[in-house]
Amino acid sequence: MTDPVRYPHLALIDTPADLRRVPDAELPAVADELRAYLIESVASSGGHFGAGLGVVELTVALHRVFDTPVDRLVWDVGHQCYPHKILTGRRERITTIKKKDGLAPFPRRNESPYDSFGVGHSSTSISAALGMAIAAQHRGDPRKVVAVIGDGAMTAGMAFEALNHGGDIEPNMLVVFNDNGMSISKNVGALAKMMARAMANRHLNALREQAKRAIPKHSLFGRLFKRWEEHAKGLFVPSTLFEELGFHYTGPIDGHNLPQLLQALRTVKDLPGPQLLHVVTTKGKGYAPAEHAQIAYHAVGPFDPDAGVVKKTAARAPTYTDVFGDWLCDMAAADDQLLAITPAMREGSGLVRFSQEYPQRYFDVGIAEQHAVTLAAGMACEGAKPVVAIYSTFLQRAYDQVIHDVALQNLDVTFAIDRAGVVGPDGPTHCGAFDLSYLRSLPNMLVMAPADENECRMLLSTAFRYHGPAAVRYPRGTGPGVAVHTALDTLPIGKAELRRRGHTLAILSFGTMLSTAAEIAAELDATLVNMRFIKPLDATLLQALAQTHEAFVTLEDNAVAGGAGSAVAECLSALGIVLPVLHLGLPDVFLEHGTRDEVLSMAGLDLPGIRQAIRGRFPQLSHGHVADVG
């Protein structure tokens, strides 16, 4: 239970209705307690941190002014939703966030009526809120609809598609533009520079707003002021951009000043048409270490709030991301045509060192995955060799560009796909379950999955040296600990590796499931193959194995539907081979959050699950032989 001595106001707030009974004068105390509770909770359990600290006052103000959940509140991305969850009946469970059977790390519709739209990916809030506003107005429903979007999320084209549409049809809705200069990393691009100018001149803008209220709108001086304003405001604030798109702009205002926030929200709440309120906040507000190291405190593990996050000094095994980052720098030194692209994931994708050593060859395009892929296509057209470093789940957002702009034109683009397969605590929105399925169907595409760290480096080199579109997918975290060689060697395209010669049963492993497959193969005296290539498959080896084995088992950290196992079945069918094949991979459901091991267990892809599945399909399996596999 929340300690009523330490949190006298917060302990009494179980729903926003309770918050709305708190006098305005006491709301700053509520915000202070909410921030302290957030620090205490995340310090004990880990989770997204800095973004939530930055919107404490804004969250309090929104739930105070709007009648949630009747009024709809749509958060973008959801990294900042912890204060929202605390105020909406989930306070006592907040330390379960990201854990198995605990709260989801992002808003989810089936978790709470206050989560009006499920999120996890960026830049969806304005589109979703616009859809809600249109539906409400169609029914004659007077409910209010609010989207909260950060300046990082505003760099994506989808946000401007929604603004363009909303400004044209003029629905009654509010966009709260949370401007803190950050996404996960520091924001980049022309929009970020424009917002920086607005922040630098917000005092001038405040005077402008005061003058507008003081001068009669239809007086001569009022008309002259309006004309001056139209010429001058574009020099100082971003209002021109949003107002030209049809949104009435208010701001920028201090997003940590509760009285000012309350006044502004109450002013715009009942105004007709599309409204945009620009608030300026600080990511990590109220916790000095998080304010000073905003990238490091975006998401954290458990830590001592008095000491802050202490960097681990002990040597650790390199992650697959580390392997990629080192390979990229080494290959860039060997080939000056290499250019690297990331959609706002410099740290997560392992590009920090590259960005420092090769700043003229590094391109962070912001949260703009579609642009990242077509930008790479354009580079390839002119003889450059672009490498797109991107998460599996984010590449989904640029699938049309992968098909139409890269694969169709057979352009020389390398995709380094991080966070492939089961990610774990971030849940279904971040699970890279589908990349093998959606990439292997594309003509011209080379698709690879390394089994260990050194193989990852070699397959990256193979992809880069291949003259056409190529993808290497690898998981989050560390591998089995194989030493990584410094050479930039390649592997023969489409050739699998026979790891163990056994009898009767052949286990075909794709990617990092190999170490688990090796244990099963030893138990069953089965043949084990490290397939390496999903496209093209090693059809010659498959044909040879089919002549000496009675059944195949395919194993992958990808959806079974349309995945690598399906490719094997298609290959056998094309060769006219009839053979029992057991396909093991991620099931046809969206997997819940938990640790990676817990999620693999839920999917039946841990050692006991794989053993049970094989013996269940082949009940006569004993001493390495299958008596009846029909």
Side-chain angles (χ1 to χ4, degrees), residues 247-379:
F247 280 72
H248 180 267
Y249 174 92
T250 302
I253 65 170
D254 184 351
H256 301 297
N257 185 323
L258 256 174
Q260 192 175 15
L261 274 174
L262 292 167
Q263 180 183 2
L265 287 171
R266 285 167 177 153
T267 298
V268 300
K269 177 182 178 182
D270 294 315
L271 292 177
Q275 307 292 320
L276 188 139
L277 176 62
H278 182 181
V279 301
V280 178
T281 62
T282 299
K283 191 172 183 178
K285 179 70 174 178
Y287 185 67
E291 290 188 38
H292 297 146
Q294 294 178 332
I295 295 173
Y297 281 86
H298 171 75
V300 296
F303 67 97
D304 179 351
D306 294 326
V309 174
V310 178
K311 291 185 178 180
K312 297 178 181 178
T313 57
R316 64 171 178 84
T319 64
Y320 283 98
T321 303
D322 295 332
V323 171
F324 165 72
D326 291 340
W327 169 84
L328 189 67
C329 291
D330 294 345
M331 186 59 81
D335 192 328
D336 61 8
Q337 292 305 303
L338 184 151
L339 304 176
I341 302 168
T342 179
M345 294 303 297
R346 184 183 73 153
E347 285 76 20
S349 293
L351 289 166
V352 173
R353 179 185 157 202
F354 184 90
S355 69
Q356 295 166 346
E357 294 184 9
Y358 299 96
Q360 301 306 313
R361 296 160 67 180
Y362 166 74
F363 300 89
D364 183 345
V365 301
I367 303 175
E369 295 88 356
Q370 294 173 307
H371 169 58
V373 172
T374 304
L375 176 71
M379 290 174 174

Side-chain angles (χ1 to χ4, degrees), residues 234-538:
L235 299 175
F236 304 110
V237 296
S239 58
T240 301
L241 170 66
F242 295 117
E243 291 192 354
E244 288 297 325
L245 286 170
F247 280 72
H248 180 267
Y249 174 92
T250 302
I253 65 170
D254 184 351
H256 301 297
N257 185 323
L258 256 174
Q260 192 175 15
L261 274 174
L262 292 167
Q263 180 183 2
L265 287 171
R266 285 167 177 153
T267 298
V268 300
K269 177 182 178 182
D270 294 315
L271 292 177
Q275 307 292 320
L276 188 139
L277 176 62
H278 182 181
V279 301
V280 178
T281 62
T282 299
K283 191 172 183 178
K285 179 70 174 178
Y287 185 67
E291 290 188 38
H292 297 146
Q294 294 178 332
I295 295 173
Y297 281 86
H298 171 75
V300 296
F303 67 97
D304 179 351
D306 294 326
V309 174
V310 178
K311 291 185 178 180
K312 297 178 181 178
T313 57
R316 64 171 178 84
T319 64
Y320 283 98
T321 303
D322 295 332
V323 171
F324 165 72
D326 291 340
W327 169 84
L328 189 67
C329 291
D330 294 345
M331 186 59 81
D335 192 328
D336 61 8
Q337 292 305 303
L338 184 151
L339 304 176
I341 302 168
T342 179
M345 294 303 297
R346 184 183 73 153
E347 285 76 20
S349 293
L351 289 166
V352 173
R353 179 185 157 202
F354 184 90
S355 69
Q356 295 166 346
E357 294 184 9
Y358 299 96
Q360 301 306 313
R361 296 160 67 180
Y362 166 74
F363 300 89
D364 183 345
V365 301
I367 303 175
E369 295 88 356
Q370 294 173 307
H371 169 58
V373 172
T374 304
L375 176 71
M379 290 174 174
C381 285
E382 297 303 318
K385 292 183 69 66
V387 176
V388 179
I390 191 167
Y391 288 9
S392 172
T393 184
F394 298 156
L395 186 58
Q396 294 165 190
R397 311 190 86 189
Y399 189 48
D400 179 65
Q401 286 69 31
V402 174
I403 297 173
H404 186 272
D405 299 338
V406 177
L408 179 62
Q409 303 184 91
N410 199 25
L411 292 174
D412 194 2
V413 176
T414 297
F415 295 95
I417 305 173
D418 205 329
R419 273 43 169 200
V422 170
V423 173
D426 281 341
T429 60
H430 285 59
C431 186
F434 310 110
D435 52 84
L436 295 185
S437 302
Y438 68 68
L439 289 175
R440 77 170 190 85
S441 61
L442 303 184
N444 299 325
M445 182 67 73
L446 181 65
V447 185
M448 295 162 279
D452 58 51
E453 301 92 330
N454 191 53
E455 195 165 274
C456 183
R457 182 177 174 95
M458 289 192 289
L459 288 179
L460 285 165
S461 295
T462 304
F464 187 77
R465 298 300 188 198
Y466 175 72
H467 295 291
V472 181
R473 58 105 70 173
Y474 45 90
R476 182 179 189 175
T478 57
V482 174
V484 180
H485 301 157
T486 58
L488 294 170
D489 296 334
T490 61
L491 289 169
I493 291 175
K495 295 298 180 183
E497 177 194 27
L498 185 63
R499 282 286 182 106
R500 185 185 191 280
R501 174 69 71 175
H503 301 87
T504 309
L505 191 70
I507 300 176
L508 313 178
S509 178
F510 294 86
T512 55
M513 300 300 297
L514 185 68
S515 57
T516 305
E519 293 189 52
I520 294 291
E523 285 182 18
L524 303 178
D525 190 25
T527 292
L528 175 63
V529 182
N530 173 21
M531 292 300 293
R532 289 178 173 163
F533 292 85
I534 293 85
K535 187 174 186 178
L537 284 171
D538 191 340

Side-chain angles (χ1 to χ4, degrees), residues 521-569:
E523 285 182 18
L524 303 178
D525 190 25
T527 292
L528 175 63
V529 182
N530 173 21
M531 292 300 293
R532 289 178 173 163
F533 292 85
I534 293 85
K535 187 174 186 178
L537 284 171
D538 191 340
T540 301
L541 179 60
L542 292 180
Q543 190 169 23
L545 292 174
Q547 294 172 357
T548 57
H549 292 74
E550 298 178 38
F552 285 173
V553 174
T554 64
L555 184 61
E556 61 190 297
D557 186 8
N558 184 86
V560 168
S566 295
V568 170

Side-chain angles (χ1 to χ4, degrees), residues 571-582:
C571 178
L572 295 178
S573 177
L575 292 170
I577 297 172
V578 179
L579 194 74
V581 182
L582 171 62

